[in-house]
Amino acid sequence: MTEPAPGGCPYCDSAGGVTRLACASPKVEAWLCAACGGQWWISVVNPRPQPFLDRLTGTVELAAARSVLWAVITLADEAPGISNEELRSRLHMLAQRAERRS
């Protein structure tokens, strides 16, 4: 079988020279990259891990954004009772935290 793998080689990102290998199990896809010699297998249990990883990454990024947003809302509630210097300092700290997560 010689149909190209979707997305190319996971090792070298080459789209050319990727071929499907014959496999004893019908539930497993085997692939070979001629460019780097990489071989990989995809099973029915986890046929395409990328969508799962994308969802997981999105969830983590969303949780991080929510955390910063909640901190900003909390700071806005506390703002009338704190000094301008402390407010600026905490806003600066939140901006740095948000920048690290992006």
Side-chain angles (χ1 to χ4, degrees):
M1 299 180 179
T2 58
E3 67 186 72
C9 177
Y11 300 108
C12 70
D13 293 327
S14 171
V18 176
T19 57
R20 187 171 179 180
L21 303 173
C23 189
S25 173
K27 295 183 180 182
V28 176
E29 294 179 6
W31 301 92
L32 169 68
C33 176
C36 71
Q39 295 182 9
W40 64 99
W41 297 264
I42 301 172
S43 71
V44 173
V45 175
N46 194 5
R48 301 279 185 257
Q50 195 60 43
F52 169 75
L53 294 177
D54 290 344
R55 275 196 307 266
L56 180 62
T57 301
T59 301
V60 169
E61 288 173 359
L62 184 58
R66 282 184 183 154
S67 171
V68 171
L69 182 57
W70 277 114
V72 169
I73 291 169
T74 301
L75 181 57
D77 289 342
E78 296 172 354
I82 60 177
S83 69
N84 284 340
E85 184 177 314
E86 184 178 351
L87 178 61
R88 277 193 293 271
S89 173
R90 288 175 61 185
L91 281 171
H92 181 71
M93 191 170 59
L94 284 171
Q96 286 178 325
R97 190 168 122 194
E99 188 175 88
R100 278 193 306 266
R101 292 175 187 231
S102 60

